[in-house]
Amino acid sequence: MENKRKHSRKRDAILDCMRNTTCHPTAEWVYQQLKPIYPDLSLGTVYRNLAMFKETGTIQSIGVVGGLERYDAQVKPHAHFICTCCGKVEDLPMAAPAPALLEDAGRLAEATVTGYQLQFTGLCSGCNKKSEPKN
Amino acid sequence: MENKRKHSRKRDAILDCMRNTTCHPTAEWVYQQLKPIYPDLSLGTVYRNLAMFKETGTIQSIGVVGGLERYDAQVKPHAHFICTCCGKVEDLPMAAPAPALLEDAGRLAEATVTGYQLQFTGLCSGCNKKSEPKN
DNA sequence: ATGACTGCAAAGACTTTGCATCTTT
DNA sequence: AAAGATGCAAAGTCTTTGCAGTCAT
């Protein structure tokens, strides 16, 4: 008693869209991608489905960048780099903090730690180029 | 030519307020704390000053939790624990990622990495108690 | 006096929701 | 047919901003 109904053409398209990009999209971005294909798609539907996928752990949110929530279909642990200039988000295939770290954190916080996020911030190569030349 | 004027009673009070708490406040929280003391304080002023302190590096933002931006007057590197249930944020005096990690991240992202954030999520002790008993 | 800071309220920006309608099973 | 998903637009939240008045030097 748990698989009521989980598919609809649009819902599937939204998940596909998420899984076929590495840009850590916003709801609006997903909407813009699919709008040409599903002209009657509604932004509300995108929000609703992303929220639902997040809820079920199918995707994750990597936080709010510049006022926009960014989602990621890659839910295995990995770090992110976020450009503070243009907002670009990239995956960093770095070693994950050892499980021991989670335990340490849990002990320190006297809490049950279930996840973590490691993100680096700075200027991406593109923004670097734009800002460095003293033209 | 840079120190126009940087003090006002309210601005100082906002910074003091930030420095005298460990709760990683929201703008609203700071506002509520100071309102009794400065009855004519405006929420806009709190937002404006927090934004300015963040800009100058006097405080930092630790991200948006449950829709509210959380600030931290502690700007030295440290990790955070965030309760996904009640939104509580705690400092974790954990070893910071070695500087080498920043370099690795920079190399991986082909970027200039200037900072990082490490945060753990889970249930705090309070929320744990509430949810575990099967009453 | 003068430039900076603030209060107030309106405006913005992103996200959520209610309800009637359309889909999927 | 029944349960669920969607479109649309209105409502909600949090945050930012314009402007006239106030404050600190």
Side-chain angles (χ1 to χ4, degrees):
Chain A
M1 47 51 132
E2 36 141 338
N3 61 327
K4 311 290 184 179
R5 186 176 296 95
K6 299 222 170 173
H7 297 284
S8 79
R9 193 162 297 171
K10 286 165 187 167
R11 174 167 298 168
D12 292 345
I14 290 169
L15 185 52
D16 278 353
C17 181
M18 284 296 306
R19 288 185 164 156
N20 289 319
T21 182
T22 59
C23 80
H24 308 80
T26 62
E28 179 70 30
W29 186 89
V30 172
Y31 174 70
Q32 293 301 341
Q33 299 301 303
L34 298 177
K35 188 67 174 173
I37 309 171
Y38 302 89
D40 64 340
L41 178 65
S42 164
L43 185 52
T45 294
V46 176
Y47 273 108
R48 259 186 295 233
N49 280 292
L50 290 178
M52 191 249 232
F53 286 136
K54 185 169 75 170
E55 187 82 16
T56 60
T58 306
I59 67 173
Q60 66 170 323
S61 164
I62 58 180
V64 176
V65 179
L68 295 308
E69 180 152 24
R70 305 291 288 262
Y71 299 90
D72 191 345
Q74 172 59 274
V75 293
K76 286 183 298 186
H78 61 289
H80 292 109
F81 168 77
I82 301 176
C83 179
T84 53
C85 172
C86 69
K88 181 162 87 168
V89 178
E90 288 178 44
D91 288 324
L92 294 182
M94 303 182 73
L101 258 189
L102 289 224
E103 284 175 33
D104 286 353
R107 209 169 307 121
L108 284 168
E110 295 180 3
T112 306
V113 173
T114 55
Y116 72 91
Q117 272 202 213
L118 174 58
Q119 47 187 230
F120 296 89
T121 51
L123 288 179
C124 73
S125 52
C127 291
N128 248 330
K129 282 175 194 147
K130 278 181 225 147
S131 55
E132 292 211 335
K134 55 178 173 232
N135 48 271
Chain B
M1 45 49 133
E2 37 143 336
N3 61 328
K4 312 289 184 177
R5 184 178 297 92
K6 299 218 169 178
H7 297 284
S8 79
R9 194 162 298 172
K10 287 164 187 168
R11 173 167 298 166
D12 293 344
I14 290 169
L15 185 52
D16 277 353
C17 181
M18 285 296 306
R19 289 185 165 158
N20 288 320
T21 183
T22 60
C23 80
H24 309 78
T26 62
E28 179 72 30
W29 186 91
V30 172
Y31 174 70
Q32 293 300 342
Q33 298 302 303
L34 298 176
K35 187 68 173 173
I37 309 174
Y38 301 88
D40 63 340
L41 178 66
S42 164
L43 186 53
T45 294
V46 175
Y47 274 109
R48 259 185 296 233
N49 280 292
L50 291 178
M52 192 250 231
F53 287 135
K54 184 169 74 170
E55 186 84 17
T56 59
T58 306
I59 67 174
Q60 67 170 322
S61 164
I62 59 179
V64 176
V65 179
L68 294 307
E69 180 153 24
R70 305 289 290 261
Y71 299 90
D72 190 345
Q74 172 59 277
V75 293
K76 286 184 296 185
H78 62 289
H80 292 110
F81 168 77
I82 300 176
C83 179
T84 54
C85 171
C86 68
K88 182 162 85 168
V89 178
E90 287 178 46
D91 289 324
L92 294 183
M94 301 183 74
L101 258 190
L102 289 223
E103 284 175 32
D104 286 353
R107 207 169 306 120
L108 284 168
E110 296 180 4
T112 307
V113 173
T114 55
Y116 72 92
Q117 272 201 211
L118 173 59
Q119 46 188 231
F120 297 88
T121 51
L123 287 181
C124 72
S125 52
C127 290
N128 248 330
K129 282 175 197 149
K130 277 182 226 148
S131 54
E132 291 210 336
K134 54 181 171 228
N135 47 266

